[in-house]
Amino acid sequence: MTPALGWWGVPLAVLGGAVRVGTPFLFVSLGECITEKSGRINLGLEGILVMGAMTGYALSHATGNPWVGVLAAGGAGLALGLLHGILCTLPRVNDIAVGIALMLFGTGLAFFLGKPYVQPKAPTLPSIPFGFWSDSPQVQAALQVNPLFVFGFALALVLTWAFRTTRWGLVVRMAGDSSDAARAMGYRVGVVRTLATGLGGLFAGIGGSFLSLYYPGSWSEGLSSGQGLMAVALVIFAGWNPLQCFYAALLFGAAGALGPALQSVGITWGYYLFNAAPYVVTLGIMIVTCSPRRTLAGAPGELSINR
Amino acid sequence: MRREALAIPLGALIAAMLLFGLFMAALGQNPLEVYALIYRGAFASAFSWQNTLARAAPLVLTALCVALPAQAGLMIIGGEGALVTGGLTAAVVGHALAGAAPLAAQLTMALAAMAVGAAWIALAGALRHWRGVNETISSLLLTYIAIAIFNHLVEGPLKDPASLNKPSTAPLPDAMMIGRLPGLDVHWGLGFGVVFATLMYVLVRHTTWGFALRIVGGNARAARIAGLPVGAYVLLACALGGAAAGLAGMVEVAAVHGSANASIIAGYGYGGILIAFIARQNPLAVLPVSVLVGGIAASGGMLQRRLDLPDATVLVLQGVAFVTILASEALYGRLRIFQSPAIRAERA
């Protein structure tokens, strides 16, 4: 940190970090939001995220084009999401348990297939320099925004609109709020939920490709620090609202960026505790807003965590 | 039905082996050779048995952390958090008791670790019962919080200045390390696991208390109408499970690593979830399944050395097995060969 900015570097670094650290949170939370709106929980997004990171990196390395990697990561996520959706359509199969299985399966498969890609360097995604007007390198660094973040923001807006006004959004919400009503209207709840889970997996896979293709920008087995698991908590935190998922992802990203930012100005105390802040906040919010007698405001009625 | 409860998981495991064999064949490996190596790495020699059983010991205990709350109808996946806090507690208590009689100190360490683990999981149970907070998610969040506290303390106030490269707490005196089972070259953690699992099996299946617990798990409303204190049962089931996982942490510290450091966060909590599901939440069935899963994990090194496969190979096999086991849930009560003759006649 140069003396020119000093302490002002901290909020700036947190802002830049919020965007950088928050982007994978944004994608997994939007994916989980779609899945949960349809009435299922996918705890396996962690596995999908890691699998997406590996696939994206491998394909970017093979083709030399990082955007192919992003698409492939989405495809891998879609496949795993559909697997979750189809398994849960079987009678008496529990969605939470399948999610845990998918988490283990996805990470294991990604570690297995990704072994040859730990060393080689793959082309990564470019960034958009929103800080071009400033002379200060810190400002420029903080405003280096990745294109996936912009895409994720647009996605949050589109999803908010789609859930509110489109037929497709209404059907997903109906499957999530009352499967009986959806069935009475002639929709096949299992199919709706399977597709919603697949779409959720697609977004989570793209979120994974961000990890390996932008920040940190390489593939290793310790790449994910549980962002996929956090998705479930984040969606609860955001009240099942895609736009609030965006703000929540930024907030979680900022909390994650606080530790390193403080470290850069010499405060090393409590590094891990700051990292745990999002978990504590989520737990606190769940404790305050939950009640044994009513469900959470905005929660889809069919969700197994509400029963 | 008992035959069904045995045959369906076995069938699912065989299906998983077939799928994994196809996967291996697609990658140009001979599946039979892979399985032969897994067998050799896990069960073929005294050495491999030791390796397998040493891995099975913490898995038995963390699987109980899933299986016991499951009796009360709760799905707890935060055993890793109880293991981590229990292990840290054991290291701190053990260090504070340096110089005391080893047996008394070990007993205190174990009890302290169990108490902290029990409290950790009981917290998730309490939040579920009194606040309606989903226990699966809260236990997962608590795991992350536990790991953060663990890292904060181990790399901060509790760090042994002598541990430079790998931050650890001060090492336990050698006299306080728990020894090996007589006759077997495996540490006492395995004994703890077998005793704990057996006791829990008797408690759940053969006592009135266990019967009431299963009523709570089957239908909490019916249990309440019958006058059972549902909250107390939920809390106790969680506390027993947490105590098991806390004990696993103590075993890892006092029998394997000698101090609390990042090595005890090895994913035993997540392995325990897999085992509890394969064992269909039966505390006694947890024992053989833990040996099986521990054996698969132990054979990873053998596959790496002989076939140059990544160490994650065994993770893929475990993942496939988990998926097929869950999918096989759909088969219960549907296979004709397991139906009683009366039902078969009625359906015909």
Side-chain angles (χ1 to χ4, degrees), chain B residues 28-346:
Chain B
Q29 299 284 353
N30 178 356
L32 294 177
E33 195 185 351
V34 172
Y35 283 124
L37 279 175
I38 290 180
Y39 175 76
R40 275 184 58 193
F43 307 115
S45 67
F47 176 75
S48 49
W49 267 103
Q50 278 165 28
N51 198 351
T52 296
L53 291 178
R55 282 170 198 264
L59 287 172
V60 169
L61 292 166
T62 52
L64 288 176
C65 187
V66 181
L68 292 174
Q71 310 293 332
L74 272 68
M75 194 183 285
I76 295 278
I77 60 173
E80 188 93 354
L83 184 151
V84 164
T85 47
L88 185 63
T89 310
V92 171
V93 169
H95 186 63
L97 289 178
L103 195 65
Q106 285 163 354
L107 204 63
T108 318
M109 279 162 70
L111 287 178
M114 285 166 73
V116 170
W120 200 254
I121 300 297
L123 179 57
L127 288 176
R128 157 67 184 254
H129 185 70
W130 281 288
R131 294 295 315 167
V133 176
N134 177 261
E135 76 285 355
T136 311
I137 293 167
S138 68
S139 65
L140 193 62
L141 291 170
L142 282 170
T143 295
Y144 279 95
I145 294 169
I147 292 175
I149 295 173
F150 179 88
N151 283 330
H152 176 72
L153 292 176
V154 169
E155 299 196 11
L158 294 179
K159 185 179 169 186
D160 176 20
S163 63
L164 292 174
N165 295 329
K166 188 172 200 179
S168 307
T169 56
L172 292 175
D174 281 344
M176 274 161 64
M177 294 292 284
I178 51 177
R180 290 167 185 280
L181 287 165
L184 279 169
D185 212 9
V186 181
H187 61 71
W188 264 101
L190 184 69
F192 295 166
V194 171
V195 171
F196 211 123
T198 313
L199 280 180
M200 288 304 124
Y201 176 76
V202 172
L203 183 70
V204 168
R205 294 294 170 98
H206 295 286
T207 64
T208 330
W209 189 88
F211 181 63
L213 177 67
R214 283 182 290 145
I215 294 177
V216 169
N219 187 335
R221 201 158 154 251
R224 209 168 277 129
I225 290 168
L228 292 170
V230 172
Y233 279 98
V234 164
L235 271 193
L236 261 169
C238 288
L240 284 172
L247 186 61
M250 181 268 183
V251 166
E252 283 298 290
V253 166
V256 183
H257 298 295
S259 68
N261 59 48
S263 301
I264 74 166
I265 313 172
Y268 283 122
Y270 299 108
I273 305 171
L274 167 67
I275 291 165
F277 272 90
I278 299 179
R280 295 186 55 75
Q281 321 291 0
N282 178 333
L284 208 55
V286 155
L287 290 173
V289 177
S290 296
V291 173
L292 185 68
V293 172
I296 292 174
S299 66
M302 179 75 94
L303 291 179
Q304 208 172 356
R305 282 193 305 276
R306 292 297 175 84
L307 297 179
D308 201 23
L309 286 167
D311 47 359
T313 314
V314 292
L315 293 181
V316 178
L317 178 55
Q318 288 182 4
V320 173
F322 204 164
V323 171
T324 55
I325 285 281
L326 289 175
S328 74
E329 291 274 322
L331 296 177
Y332 286 88
R334 296 184 159 232
L335 294 183
R336 277 183 61 101
I337 47 164
F338 296 122
Q339 283 164 358
S340 66
I343 294 176
R344 229 183 292 179
E346 199 178 301

Side-chain angles (χ1 to χ4, degrees), chain A residues 87 91-93 96-98 100-101 104-105 108 111-112 115 226 229 232 272 276 279 286-288 290-292 305, chain B residues 23 27 75 77 130-131 133-134 137 144 148 151-152 155 277 310-313 315-316 320 322-323 326-327 329-330 332:
Chain A
L87 283 176
R92 268 192 314 201
V93 176
I96 291 184
V98 173
I100 301 166
L104 293 178
F105 176 63
F111 291 174
F112 180 87
K115 204 74 187 173
L229 288 170
V232 178
Y272 290 103
Y279 310 105
M286 283 177 73
I287 294 171
V288 171
C290 285
S291 150
I305 58 164
Chain B
F23 177 67
L27 291 171
M75 194 183 285
I77 60 173
W130 281 288
R131 294 295 315 167
V133 176
N134 177 261
I137 293 167
Y144 279 95
N151 283 330
H152 176 72
E155 299 196 11
F277 272 90
D311 47 359
T313 314
L315 293 181
V316 178
V320 173
F322 204 164
V323 171
L326 289 175
E329 291 274 322
Y332 286 88

Side-chain angles (χ1 to χ4, degrees), chain A residues 57-107:
Chain A
Y57 199 74
L59 263 286
S60 170
H61 181 259
T63 62
N65 184 346
W67 292 105
V68 176
V70 173
L71 282 182
L78 179 69
L80 285 177
L82 287 178
L83 175 68
H84 181 281
I86 291 166
L87 283 176
C88 291
T89 314
L90 297 172
R92 268 192 314 201
V93 176
N94 178 300
D95 54 349
I96 291 184
V98 173
I100 301 166
L102 202 62
M103 180 168 91
L104 293 178
F105 176 63
T107 43

Side-chain angles (χ1 to χ4, degrees), chain A residues 72-267:
Chain A
L78 179 69
L80 285 177
L82 287 178
L83 175 68
H84 181 281
I86 291 166
L87 283 176
C88 291
T89 314
L90 297 172
R92 268 192 314 201
V93 176
N94 178 300
D95 54 349
I96 291 184
V98 173
I100 301 166
L102 202 62
M103 180 168 91
L104 293 178
F105 176 63
T107 43
L109 195 62
F111 291 174
F112 180 87
L113 297 173
K115 204 74 187 173
Y117 298 100
V118 174
Q119 289 294 339
K121 206 76 201 103
T124 52
L125 291 170
S127 55
I128 309 170
F130 279 124
F132 58 86
W133 45 269
S134 169
D135 299 329
S136 162
Q138 278 97 344
V139 173
Q140 283 179 357
L143 292 179
Q144 288 275 349
V145 174
N146 64 85
L148 281 180
F149 177 76
V150 181
F151 174 58
F153 176 57
L155 195 62
L157 291 178
V158 168
L159 282 180
T160 310
W161 168 79
F163 277 133
R164 196 174 293 155
T165 50
T166 65
R167 168 182 288 262
W168 175 87
L170 210 60
V171 171
V172 170
R173 276 166 52 200
M174 185 159 62
D177 272 328
S178 167
S179 59
D180 288 340
R183 246 188 296 273
M185 296 283 290
Y187 293 103
R188 289 196 291 174
V189 176
V191 175
V192 172
R193 289 181 178 167
T194 302
L195 290 179
T197 314
L199 199 60
L202 184 129
F203 292 154
I206 293 177
S209 73
F210 172 88
L211 288 175
S212 62
L213 292 176
Y214 188 83
Y215 180 81
S218 64
W219 161 249
S220 70
E221 294 192 354
L223 190 60
S224 159
S225 47
Q227 284 99 332
L229 288 170
M230 295 287 301
V232 178
L234 222 148
V235 172
I236 296 171
F237 182 72
W240 290 271
N241 177 334
L243 200 58
Q244 282 181 24
C245 282
F246 172 75
Y247 299 126
L250 272 184
L251 193 68
F252 276 44
L258 192 60
L262 286 176
Q263 209 171 26
S264 70
V265 290
I267 299 178

